[in-house]
Amino acid sequence: MTKKQKIEHSELAGEFTDDGVTVLVDIFRTAGSNEDWTMEVVTQSEDLIRWDEPFATDREAFDEFLAVVARDGIRSFLEDEEPSVH
């Protein structure tokens, strides 16, 4: 039986609200590793947006999320009819 890997979540992960919209920003990697960080955004409708490329630090991941919100608005995560990949 394969043992499921434990996940370490960044302290920067959590709910983020802007313009009346709340999303869950999840930044994570394999626990106890020095692997790069993966980022996902989960909308209120449970749509999942995952970045293809990992980030060297959790801060880089969160800064990228903030940059998307500043550039495109938080509603950009809601308006795509097809799944988003960043």
Side-chain angles (χ1 to χ4, degrees):
M1 187 170 175
T2 305
K3 195 173 189 179
K4 188 173 181 178
Q5 292 182 334
K6 294 189 180 192
I7 300 294
E8 170 185 6
H9 293 272
S10 167
E11 293 179 2
L12 300 171
E15 288 187 350
F16 184 89
T17 302
D18 187 50
D19 194 25
V21 175
T22 300
V23 297
L24 174 64
V25 181
D26 196 8
I27 303 169
F28 59 92
R29 67 180 176 185
T30 303
S33 75
N34 287 325
E35 293 177 359
D36 288 341
W37 294 86
T38 298
M39 182 168 59
E40 298 176 341
V41 173
V42 182
T43 68
Q44 293 169 321
S45 302
E46 297 187 13
D47 293 323
L48 176 70
I49 297 94
R50 175 179 284 187
W51 273 251
D52 280 342
E53 297 297 320
F55 298 88
T57 67
D58 57 343
R59 170 52 65 187
E60 285 181 20
F62 191 67
D63 286 348
E64 171 64 16
F65 168 76
L66 293 176
V68 170
V69 171
R71 182 183 64 237
D72 302 331
I74 196 163
R75 293 184 182 277
S76 67
F77 293 109
L78 308 178
E79 295 173 355
D80 292 335
E81 293 180 12
E82 296 183 21
S84 292
V85 177
H86 289 275

